[in-house]
Amino acid sequence: GDLMRSVSVLKFTGGKLTEVARDYNANWTSALLVADDDMLCAEASHNLVALRQRDSRCLATVADMHLGDYVSCFAFGSLAVDHSNSTDDRPRPLLFGCASGMLGCIIPVIDRDAEKLHRLAPVLVQHLSFAADLDYNAWRRFKNDAKYLDGTFTGFLDGDLLERFLD
């Protein structure tokens, strides 16, 4: 990731470095994880952005949300369950570390479950109360110095919100 200009995919062939694709949004990258055509980018305004290479020149945003903390690193792993000897094809959980000392986890959810949870989340937001009458959608939607998105955040499921449903 280019610190000030978001993420670019580069290819080194024949002693020459060429740009293959780029994210055209201005994100001040603080951490980056690349897995095949998918990328997870943390940026300095405390947002997470998932990118996917859709065509030959453009990295498209497939998910974004305001996390509220400065992510400084990503690593595959889990705090509770050892997945190192797993024989199934499930994607591994991803841990992230923040400048404040907070640790977080991004857990892949299979499509059929994700669809149900994406329908449940807005209903929870309507029926739950939040500290200091916080506008949940305003808090979670992507925002930085260059852009502020209207509406809700996209693509990610908020585990803290879904956990409140279980309580």
Side-chain angles (χ1 to χ4, degrees):
D2 181 320
L3 178 66
M4 295 178 65
R5 296 182 55 196
S6 196
V7 177
S8 296
V9 177
L10 304 174
K11 183 177 181 180
F12 185 75
T13 51
K16 187 176 178 184
L17 199 60
T18 57
E19 183 178 87
V20 175
R22 77 169 29 204
D23 174 24
Y24 287 92
N25 297 305
N27 293 319
W28 188 295
T29 306
S30 63
L32 178 67
L33 179 99
V34 178
D36 299 322
D37 289 335
D38 296 319
M39 289 146 230
L40 183 62
C41 174
E43 60 94 58
S45 293
H46 306 173
N47 299 296
L48 292 178
V49 180
L51 302 166
R52 181 169 293 143
Q53 189 169 350
R54 296 238 188 241
D55 62 37
S56 61
R57 299 288 303 153
C58 182
L59 296 175
T61 299
V62 293
D64 56 30
M65 76 179 281
H66 181 72
L67 182 65
D69 207 338
Y70 185 92
V71 175
S72 57
C73 62
F74 293 111
F76 286 107
S78 174
L79 296 175
V81 180
D82 182 13
H83 293 276
S84 61
N85 297 326
S86 178
T87 58
D88 60 21
D89 290 336
R90 287 183 298 180
R92 296 179 295 165
L94 179 67
L95 299 173
F96 59 87
C98 297
S100 69
M102 180 184 86
L103 295 175
C105 188
I106 298 172
I107 302 171
V109 179
I110 58 175
D111 288 341
R112 73 175 176 358
D113 293 337
E115 186 178 316
K116 293 174 191 172
L117 294 171
H118 275 291
R119 286 194 313 261
L120 175 63
V123 175
L124 291 174
V125 169
Q126 287 179 345
H127 291 90
L128 293 173
S129 59
F130 298 93
D133 289 328
L134 177 74
D135 180 343
Y136 175 83
N137 288 321
W139 168 250
R140 282 293 185 214
R141 76 176 138 237
F142 181 99
K143 51 191 153 299
N144 67 15
D145 293 340
K147 103 177 152 177
Y148 179 85
L149 298 179
D150 291 330
T152 60
F153 65 98
T154 58
F156 288 108
L157 290 163
D158 183 347
D160 291 331
L161 176 67
L162 297 172
E163 185 177 41
R164 290 186 63 189
F165 175 69
L166 298 175
D167 292 341

